[in-house]
Every structure is written in structure tokens, then in C-alpha cells.
């Protein structure tokens, strides 16, 4: 059993791919994998460290959604990449090729389809990316992470599975999180994260929130700033960081334990993060990244808001006052948080990776 997996650019494409690899390994320990990415994407660092064979296609970037001179060069490069992808497929001889997003998926999935190798794409967002929209005309199966995404693809080959969830997210225990981060069980815990790189707008709004929270001491806050923002944030919080209910980190290597103990999250609305929150049943205040392609984060967030699992504050509206008022409203109403938690859990698809793995194996 040989399988090529491709996904690149961001962790939101890479980590679901790695989770699918683990799910397939559990079902087929004999499976051999080759990961196809780019030289410059995060996958070039993350995938080899995970012990998975990796090869890179040289790509100049994805096509822009308008005519530009750069698109001409990129289109020519993409044609060459399909030839290179065909060579990779001939050499590896996969039983199936799987893509989890990013423009690197285009050449390898298209080449596989033209060579009659079974193919599957996994779309995480409510609004499909350009690459997956094109590939949907060629691939054999499509697994979508949200019900809203079903309308973007041909019904006959599209399945709503949810997004792959790391096993450690589901296995983490609340008590382990409390112990690791030094919090107590008698006060609500808020987890704040703008993603692996951080979000300046969220960090700025949280400064005033944390200063007030340190005085009131009625809730506990675990704030992940992103490595690039950490120094600036901690400098502004110099008089607050000693408070026992305030913890600030540049990055969390154990986000699953943080999620396990959280009573409320303040997050961006990336598909992977939302999949993990709903698998754990964590209510959220969502601030969608305003520059995401096709504004897909806002659509991701709206699905949770409509289900009663989250509140949304648009990035342009985000201030300390608005965020503080929303936090106060939810943290002082345990019944509201309980209803939101139940709604969040109802949206979760903890077995998504296994379902997608089954679809892949059924094609081989």
C-alpha cells in the first residue's frame, strides 16, 4: 500500500494531512507514504521531522484571482510542475493520492487523475479554495469539513466528514491541563490564541482585558500571543504578569491540554482550530482573520454562530471594550456557556480522520 499525501503553505493544510497519515497507519500498518510539498512552505520543515518521506515541487505560488503578468509565469511554472509531479507518481507508484489544500496540491492531484490513480481532496473550509474548486472536476472523491461546503462540489462524489482531529486533542484531560498551566478548577478559564503566528488585533484588545482581569481575579486567562508579538505584549503587561490568574505564552506546544481545561476560547476562525474546539465542545468568541482567501474565516465562524456555539466579533469592530463586554456577559452566565458548549459539541466530528481514511482505502 503506497499513498501520496500533499498539502502545503500553512499548518491548516499540513496538520490535517499528518493526522490522516496516522489514521491510515492505524488501519494499514504496512502503508508507505510520500509527502509532496513545496521547498518554502512549513511542510518542508514539519513533515521530515515527523519521520515521513518528503519531496518538493518547485512552485512560484498560487494563481491570483485576477489577470496579472505574474499569473502568466506561474501558469507556465504550473505546467512544468505537472510534468515533475507525473515523474514522482511514476517513481513511487501510489495506490492513491490525497490533497488537503494549498496550491501544491494542484499539480500532483491533476497528474494523478490524468494517470488514472485514485484521488481524494479534503476541503476544510466553508468556502472552497481555488485549487480545490479546479481539482473537484478531476478527482474521484471529495471530503468536506463543513456542511456549508457541500454546495461547492459535485454531490455524487462529495461526503461531509468533518475535519481531521489530532488524537492528542481528544485524549487530553482537564486535570492535566490545570496541572500543567497552574490554574485552579474553581474559576472559569479563557484560552486566547490568534494562531501560531499570533494576531495583533486580538493581542491589542486583550491588553486592557488582562489588566482588568488581574484586579478582579474572577476568571483565569491563558493568552498565546504568537512568537513575533510576545515581547511587545509582555512589555505592556509588565505590572500584570505576576497575577496568578494570568498566563502569557509566545507559543503553546501542548494546545490539546489547554483546550481540555478551557471553558471559553477567543480564537481566529481557521478550520482546524474550530474543528478541535467543537470536538472538545468549547464555546468561543471568534474574530475571523479579515484577509483570508474568499473571506472564508468569516463563513467558518458564521456556521458556529448560527448553531449557537459561538459569538463573532469582526476584526474591524474589535476593541478592548467590545471584547471585555462579550467576555463579561458569557463568564457571568454559566447557563449560557453550558448551552454554547452543548451546541459546540454537537458540531464536532471527532471521528473525521477515520472516516476519511476509510474513503481513501476504499478507493485503492
Amino acid at each position: 500500500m503506497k499513498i501520496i499525501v500533499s498539502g502545503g503553505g500553512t499548518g491548516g493544510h499540513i496538520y490535517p494531512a499528518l493526522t490522516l497519515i496516522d489514521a491510515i497507519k492505524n488501519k494499514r500498518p504496512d502503508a508507505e507514504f510520500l509527502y509532496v510539498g513545496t521547498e518554502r512552505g512549513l511542510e518542508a520543515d514539519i513533515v521530515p521531522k515527523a519521520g515521513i518521506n518528503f519531496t518538493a515541487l518547485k512552485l512560484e505560488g498560487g494563481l491570483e484571482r485576477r489577470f496579472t503578468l505574474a499569473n502568466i509565469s506561474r501558469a507556465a511554472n504550473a505546467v512544468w510542475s505537472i510534468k515533475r509531479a507525473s515523474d514522482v507518481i511514476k517513481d513511487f507508484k501510489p495506490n492513491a493520492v490525497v490533497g488537503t489544500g494549498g496550491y501544491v496540491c494542484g499539480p500532483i492531484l491533476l497528474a494523478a487523475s490524468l494517470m488514472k490513480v485514485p484521488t481524494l481532496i479534503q476541503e476544510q473550509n466553508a468556502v472552497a479554495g481555488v485549487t480545490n474548486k479546479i481539482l473537484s472536476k478531476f478527482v474521484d472523491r471529495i471530503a468536506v469539513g463543513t456542511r456549508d461546503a457541500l454546495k461547492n462540489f459535485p454531490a455524487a462524489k462529495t461526503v461531509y466528514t468533518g475535519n481531521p482531529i489530532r488524537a492528542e486533542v481528544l485524549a487530553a484531560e482537564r486535570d492535566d491541563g490545570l496541572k500543567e498551566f497552574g490554574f485552579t478548577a474553581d474559576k472559569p478559564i479563557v484560552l486566547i490564541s490568534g494562531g501560531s503566528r499570533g494576531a495583533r488585533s486580538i493581542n491589542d484588545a486583550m491588553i486592557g482585558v488582562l489588566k482588568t482581569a488581574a484586579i478582579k481575579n474572577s476568571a483565569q486567562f491563558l493568552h498565546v500571543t504568537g512568537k513575533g508579538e510576545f515581547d511587545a505584549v509582555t512589555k505592556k503587561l509588565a505590572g500584570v504578569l505576576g497575577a496568578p490568574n494570568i498566563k502569557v505564552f509566545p507559543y503553546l506546544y501542548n494546545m490539546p491540554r489547554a483546550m481540555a481545561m478551557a471553558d471559553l476560547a477567543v480564537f481566529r476562525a481557521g478550520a482546524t482550530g474550530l474543528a478541535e474546539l467543537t470536538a472538545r465542545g468549547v464555546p468561543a468568541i471568534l474574530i475571523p482573520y479579515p484577509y483570508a482567501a474568499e473571506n472564508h474565516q468569516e463563513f467558518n465562524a458564521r456556521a458556529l454562530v448560527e448553531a449557537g456555539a459561538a459569538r463573532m466579533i469582526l476584526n474591524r469592530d474589535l476593541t478592548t471594550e467590545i471584547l471585555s463586554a462579550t467576555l463579561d456577559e458569557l463568564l457571568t452566565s454559566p447557563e449560557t456557556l453550558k448551552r454554547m458548549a452543548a451546541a459546540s459539541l454537537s458540531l464536532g466530528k471527532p471521528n473525521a480522520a477515520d472516516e476519511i481514511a476509510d474513503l481513501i482505502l476504499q478507493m485503492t
Side-chain angles (χ1 to χ4, degrees), residues 5 22 90 105 126 131 184 200 204 216 219 221 231 265 291 336:
V5 178
D22 287 340
K90 288 176 184 176
C105 291
T131 300
T184 60
R200 181 168 298 175
D204 287 346
K216 292 171 63 175
F221 293 80
D231 289 343
Y291 306 110
T336 299

Side-chain angles (χ1 to χ4, degrees), residues 277-301:
L277 288 176
T278 55
R280 296 286 327 189
V282 181
I285 299 170
L286 301 176
I287 300 107
Y289 177 59
Y291 306 110
E294 306 287 347
N295 197 29
H296 69 254
Q297 284 208 7
E298 184 175 334
F299 287 94
N300 290 348

Side-chain angles (χ1 to χ4, degrees), residues 18-55:
L18 297 179
T19 301
L20 287 179
I21 288 173
D22 287 340
I24 295 170
K25 282 181 178 179
N26 288 336
K27 297 172 183 291
R28 288 293 300 266
D30 62 320
E32 182 182 348
F33 295 89
L34 175 65
Y35 198 109
V36 177
T38 65
E39 297 170 325
R40 294 179 294 178
L42 292 174
E43 65 272 18
D45 178 55
I46 294 171
V47 174
K49 286 181 179 178
I52 298 164
N53 291 330
F54 177 82
T55 191

Side-chain angles (χ1 to χ4, degrees), residues 8-332:
T10 69
H13 295 145
I14 300 163
Y15 290 112
L18 297 179
T19 301
L20 287 179
I21 288 173
D22 287 340
I24 295 170
K25 282 181 178 179
N26 288 336
K27 297 172 183 291
R28 288 293 300 266
D30 62 320
E32 182 182 348
F33 295 89
L34 175 65
Y35 198 109
V36 177
T38 65
E39 297 170 325
R40 294 179 294 178
L42 292 174
E43 65 272 18
D45 178 55
I46 294 171
V47 174
K49 286 181 179 178
I52 298 164
N53 291 330
F54 177 82
T55 191
L57 297 181
K58 187 176 180 180
L59 296 171
E60 294 181 2
L63 296 177
E64 297 182 39
R65 291 169 176 80
R66 56 192 176 88
F67 177 78
T68 65
L69 292 177
N71 269 356
I72 297 174
S73 173
R74 289 174 179 176
N77 179 256
V79 172
W80 180 91
S81 298
I82 293 171
K83 171 63 170 64
R84 166 69 178 131
S86 299
D87 292 340
V88 170
I89 292 169
K90 288 176 184 176
D91 290 342
F92 190 68
K93 298 179 176 61
N95 299 94
V97 178
V98 180
T100 58
Y103 57 84
V104 69
C105 291
I108 196 74
L109 269 291
L110 183 56
S113 179
L114 295 174
M115 297 169 73
K116 306 303 181 185
V117 177
T119 50
L120 177 144
I121 55 174
Q122 199 266 322
E123 173 58 60
Q124 291 112 32
N125 294 299
V127 178
V130 171
T131 300
N132 278 352
K133 283 182 179 178
I134 296 170
L135 289 173
S136 68
K137 304 178 188 304
F138 299 92
V139 300
D140 298 295
R141 301 303 300 269
I142 303 162
V144 296
T146 69
R147 291 190 185 279
D148 288 347
L150 288 169
K151 63 179 179 290
N152 295 315
F153 300 113
K157 54 183 173 182
T158 305
V159 183
Y160 167 54
T161 58
N163 287 317
I165 307 294
R166 294 174 290 167
E168 52 265 39
V169 170
L170 301 173
E173 297 288 344
R174 178 178 172 85
D175 287 346
D176 293 332
L178 294 174
K179 186 181 297 183
E180 177 159 338
F181 296 106
F183 285 130
T184 60
D186 60 337
K187 295 176 183 176
I189 298 170
V190 183
L191 171 63
I192 306 99
S193 174
S196 58
R197 295 179 181 176
R200 181 168 298 175
S201 59
I202 295 176
N203 289 337
D204 287 346
M206 283 300 304
I207 298 297
V209 172
L210 294 177
K211 287 180 177 179
T212 300
I215 297 170
K216 292 171 63 175
N217 196 21
S218 57
Q220 302 166 102
F221 293 80
L222 176 56
H223 183 184
V224 188
T225 64
K227 292 180 179 179
E229 292 274 304
F230 181 71
D231 289 343
V233 171
T234 52
K235 185 177 180 180
K236 294 175 182 176
L237 292 173
V240 169
L241 295 180
N245 63 321
I246 308 292
K247 311 283 183 180
V248 181
F249 292 90
Y251 183 82
L252 279 191
Y253 290 95
N254 204 339
M255 182 62 82
R257 285 189 175 182
M259 285 188 182
M261 69 174 185
D263 298 292
L264 178 63
V266 178
F267 264 43
R268 286 298 197 195
T272 299
L274 298 190
E276 293 180 347
L277 288 176
T278 55
R280 296 286 327 189
V282 181
I285 299 170
L286 301 176
I287 300 107
Y289 177 59
Y291 306 110
E294 306 287 347
N295 197 29
H296 69 254
Q297 284 208 7
E298 184 175 334
F299 287 94
N300 290 348
R302 287 194 185 283
L304 270 71
V305 172
E306 290 169 4
R311 301 287 176 86
M312 179 170 66
I313 304 172
L314 294 178
N315 199 77
R316 64 173 179 265
D317 299 328
L318 182 62
T319 63
T320 291
E321 291 73 23
I322 289 174
L323 181 56
S324 182
T326 308
L327 284 164
D328 286 345
E329 176 198 349
L330 297 178
L331 292 174
T332 56

